[in-house]
């Protein structure tokens, strides 16, 4: 461990290497019920988040942007038994509302945002192959220049997608598993009381995007 | 920051000082709808946890033990507006089942397990004072000597108690907010695939306990 860079201090799951893993953009074909070889998925994403600011109000904001997700080698070639590990290596989503102004969401570099795709222990009953469950634990930064604050979460945001029939689950709806409220802290005063909360988060994974579309964000 | 000890690398919430805060044991009286002065609550706890071990089985285990929780100065003397911050500073729970053997659950010293009690943004409707919501993000170690493994979670376990009418919420039922599965890693191979999952966690906060009862654990 001599010359390694410091890296994230908070690790929410299994690290996945990006070394030698190809970037995948628009035009990549996806086969349902088939564990794919490793890749870095460059995908669109949209999200509707509700923020509660104590004593001030609750604001719902539409976000739009992209994510980059690196996927591991599947643990099996068979869909039913395959597990795939993922790291969220880049995110940029932008939204706006009058009261909070423009909000840019990126990854918190102090956290390794990590997840996995596997067959759940409580699958849907039914014929045919079992759909998988996807989960990702995320450390984010919500930059709100109008309020002069960058807000960060100290509990990970757990993003989940159910009924996954292909990897990546492009086009699928997902949810932030927030129980009532997820505290957000001012990045300059991490040990102080939370300044806001996320009370709801619903997202939709987009399809493969282009480098041009990502550069425009 | 010269001579400070290293401390936890993963901080799930707001740190609360234990300096000068008294330990509270059996015999402490609790007033409903009243924010209390700071204290370290020594409380009994019981929990029913279900573990899924991929390819092996699912096991439900009854746990019993104690927790020590330090509470901050409330942010207000009024119940309705008061926020109280908490750190879980000690935990010991023991359970057993035939397949997994004896399991001892303690805190992971690399994590600051932290939480808070506040009025939720979606309170129950009704007359009288509003009940509060309690949440705690926990990093734990599940020591399973029969399997020769200590399992740790890398996403915090979110423990919640609703309908809180007194602090501490002794006697209240609570839940681990686990969406389908919470990965557990072998502490010696943290970067490897999870070896087990918690799929359900239901607990009950006990009342104030005694030093003698804690020492017997």
């Amino acid at each position: 461990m001599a010359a390694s860079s410091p890296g994230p201090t908070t690790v929410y799951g299994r690290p996945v290497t990006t070394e030698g893993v190809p970037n995948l953009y628009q035009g990549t074909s996806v086969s349902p019920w088939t564990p794919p070889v490793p890749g870095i998925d460059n995908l669109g994403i949209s999200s509707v988040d509700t923020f509660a600011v104590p004593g001030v109000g609750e604001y719902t904001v539409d976000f739009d942007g992209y994510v980059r997700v690196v996927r591991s080698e599947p643990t099996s070639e068979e869909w039913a038994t395959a597990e795939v590990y993922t790291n969220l290596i880049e995110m940029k989503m932008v939204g706006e509302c009058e009261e909070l102004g423009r909000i840019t969401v990126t990854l918190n570099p102090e956290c390794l945002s990590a997840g996995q795709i596997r067959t759940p222990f409580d699958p849907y009953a039914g014929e045919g192959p079992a759909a998988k469950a996807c989960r990702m634990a995320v450390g984010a930064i919500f930059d709100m220049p109008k309020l002069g604050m960058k807000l960060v979460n100290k509990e990970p945001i757990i993003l989940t997608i159910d009924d996954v029939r292909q990897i990546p689950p492009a086009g699928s709806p997902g949810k932030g598993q927030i129980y009532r409220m997820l505290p957000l802290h001012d990045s300059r005063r991490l040990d102080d009381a939370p300044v806001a909360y996320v009370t709801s988060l619903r997202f939709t994974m987009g399809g493969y995007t282009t480098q041009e579309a990502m550069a425009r964000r």
Side-chain angles (χ1 to χ4, degrees), chain A residues 116-194:
Chain A
Q116 68 177 119
I117 300 171
R118 66 164 286 136
T119 308
F121 300 99
D122 54 347
Y124 293 116
E127 283 184 36
K132 290 192 173 290
C134 176
R135 59 185 294 123
M136 175 78 81
V138 178
I141 299 177
F142 300 82
D143 187 10
M144 302 190 182
K146 182 170 174 177
L147 306 192
M149 267 194 260
K150 293 181 186 193
L151 303 185
V152 300
N153 57 299
K154 295 168 81 173
E155 293 173 20
I157 304 168
I158 307 295
L159 301 180
T160 64
I161 301 176
D162 280 331
D163 203 9
V164 171
R165 303 170 187 197
Q166 59 174 37
I167 299 172
S172 286
K175 217 178 155 243
Q177 297 297 333
I178 292 165
Y179 190 72
R180 306 196 94 164
M181 52 184 142
L182 183 102
L184 296 179
H185 295 261
D186 181 337
S187 63
R188 292 162 307 185
R189 298 181 193 90
L190 282 176
D191 285 355
D192 285 6

Side-chain angles (χ1 to χ4, degrees), chain A residues 20-25 28 38-42 68 89 208 211 214:
Chain A
V21 181
N23 270 284
L24 303 173
Y25 296 101
T28 304
I40 295 173
D41 294 327
N42 295 273
R68 300 183 63 222
I89 57 174
Y208 280 112
Q211 281 180 280
M214 290 163 71

